[in-house]
Amino acid sequence: TGAPSLTVQSGTFETQTCTGAAGASEIRCDFGEVSNNSQILIEIPVRVDNWPSGGTITNTASVTVDDRQTFDPVGGNNSNTGTVDILRSSLSGYVYEDVNFNDERDGSEPGISGVSIRLTGTDDFGNVVDETTTTNGSGLFEFTDLSPSTSGLGGGYRLVQTQPSGYLDGREQVGSVGGVIVSPDPDAAIPDEIENIFLPADTNATDYNFAELREGSLAGWVFIDSNGNGTRNSGETSGLPNLDVRLVGTDYTGAAVDLSVQTTANGRYEFNNLVPGDYRIVQEGILEGLLPTGPQVGTIAGNTSGTAVPAALPTPPEVQDIALISNGTGNNYNFGWVGQDISGFVAPHGFK
């Protein structure tokens, strides 16, 4: 219990004092001389420090008087019992695949199930909180029936996510009542944590989200473009082997990427185990006796991604602005070459 407050509703009271220790189950009030039919409202704040079964408590308030100084004509109305609903708070969010690596959970991005989330801290009543849950099929996690933990008392809660297997660490997002991301830069070796979550009473805090990503790939062909249209058609199966293809750009963490591979015997090249990011592909080297066509911009998840930059010899052809999404498979980033035209006059034997 806390200090009571007094409100005179009718009549007069000579004095208005109440005493009682915090946490006690009773108080003593002195009103001195009281006029007939007077009424006074006594409000005593009560703190519930344990979650009751079913979320409700039954509370009984009783009043007794000093018979030596006060006459109580109706002694039967000095007690009353009521039921109180205890309002609780909750904390929730998602673990999801940040497909377009924009550090936000978009509606179409899939959740990741079975990920362990731990909640720790101290509530405003001094109780230590340490709970663990796992995400459901939609990637949702939720901690319910929580007591408040505010900056001046409990000091706030902390969420810790265990890194799911097969995923790259993404960035976290602070939810509706605020908080601090402990390690903003993605690093799978460091647990993802959000701390200083000051949770008020009767509040459903949402959108404490943890992003994850998966590796992808980019691939294509360097080929003989027999019809010279810049596109690898179904019948154009002659590839050019042992040619250098370079991939440069920046991954989603901001790290620079610079990789090179060579085409296989049939002209195929692949960049596998790529971190999502923004890239360009350059088909390096000039082929004597051939002219470049295209290049052909490929697709990722069925959508065209990139900008073709034709060769301006001796500058080689390339495809720029390739946005490799999480778990994206990019195909048909192709570079065609065609034989140079030969023109002239073939003279018959003996022609002068």
Side-chain angles (χ1 to χ4, degrees):
T1 59
S5 62
L6 307 177
T7 304
V8 175
Q9 296 183 318
S10 63
T12 58
F13 294 80
E14 182 182 10
T15 60
Q16 300 173 31
T17 59
C18 291
T19 59
S25 59
E26 64 179 41
I27 62 170
R28 180 180 180 85
C29 297
D30 183 3
F31 300 128
E33 294 289 335
V34 180
S35 62
N36 289 336
N37 298 317
S38 295
Q39 292 183 337
I40 190 169
L41 174 65
I42 305 173
E43 294 181 293
I44 306 172
V46 176
R47 187 179 73 183
V48 178
D49 54 11
N50 287 297
W51 176 242
S53 176
T56 61
I57 60 172
T58 300
N59 189 48
T60 300
S62 300
V63 177
T64 59
V65 298
D66 186 343
D67 292 335
R68 295 169 300 176
Q69 304 180 41
T70 304
F71 171 67
D72 185 2
V74 185
N77 66 351
N78 291 347
S79 180
N80 194 19
T81 298
T83 300
V84 179
D85 293 325
I86 305 302
L87 300 178
R88 301 288 274 177
S89 295
S90 66
L91 190 57
S92 66
Y94 287 86
V95 179
Y96 71 101
E97 184 174 0
D98 189 9
V99 175
N100 58 4
F101 57 93
N102 68 343
D103 303 333
E104 295 180 3
R105 178 178 171 267
D106 302 315
S108 60
E109 292 179 321
I112 304 172
S113 64
V115 182
S116 178
I117 305 291
R118 184 181 180 189
L119 175 76
T120 60
T122 303
D123 68 21
D124 283 356
F125 311 128
N127 301 307
V128 175
V129 177
D130 191 339
E131 302 179 16
T132 300
T133 188
T134 56
T135 55
N136 66 12
S138 300
L140 173 69
F141 69 88
E142 187 173 20
F143 295 94
T144 59
D145 294 340
L146 295 176
S147 296
S149 182
T150 56
S151 59
L153 294 173
Y157 289 119
R158 173 188 291 244
L159 290 169
V160 181
Q161 179 219 241
T162 300
Q163 180 65 28
S165 176
Y167 287 86
L168 304 167
D169 186 29
R171 290 185 171 88
E172 296 76 58
Q173 294 97 55
V174 171
S176 58
V177 298
V180 176
I181 298 172
V182 176
S183 180
D185 294 328
D187 188 342
I190 301 175
D192 295 333
E193 301 183 32
I194 304 174
E195 65 179 7
N196 294 343
I197 304 172
F198 301 132
L199 183 65
D202 191 25
T203 299
N204 296 319
T206 60
D207 294 326
Y208 286 84
N209 299 332
F210 296 86
E212 307 295 337
L213 299 93
R214 287 186 283 176
E215 294 177 339
S217 64
L218 292 170
W221 306 82
V222 181
F223 69 104
I224 298 297
D225 189 5
S226 58
N227 61 7
N229 69 348
T231 300
R232 184 175 182 268
N233 305 121
S234 59
E236 295 174 323
T237 58
S238 296
L240 297 171
N242 305 319
L243 298 176
D244 292 329
V245 180
R246 184 181 177 194
L247 179 137
V248 293
T250 305
D251 70 21
Y252 78 99
T253 70
V257 176
D258 192 337
L259 304 171
S260 291
V261 295
Q262 281 196 328
T263 56
T264 63
N266 61 358
R268 176 79 171 174
Y269 73 89
E270 294 181 1
F271 293 97
N272 295 313
N273 305 119
L274 285 179
V275 174
D278 296 309
Y279 299 112
R280 62 189 178 97
I281 299 175
V282 183
Q283 194 260 291
E284 297 187 319
I286 303 302
L287 302 178
E288 292 186 9
L290 297 176
L291 294 174
T293 67
Q296 180 181 350
V297 177
T299 60
I300 301 174
N303 299 311
T304 301
S305 179
T307 302
V309 181
L313 299 179
T315 302
E318 63 180 74
V319 180
Q320 300 178 345
D321 306 321
I322 302 171
L324 180 62
I325 61 176
S326 177
N327 198 36
T329 300
N331 283 308
N332 287 319
Y333 287 89
N334 301 331
F335 298 88
W337 293 83
V338 66
Q340 296 185 29
D341 291 335
I342 300 175
S343 62
F345 177 75
V346 179
H349 179 69
F351 182 82
K352 298 290 187 180

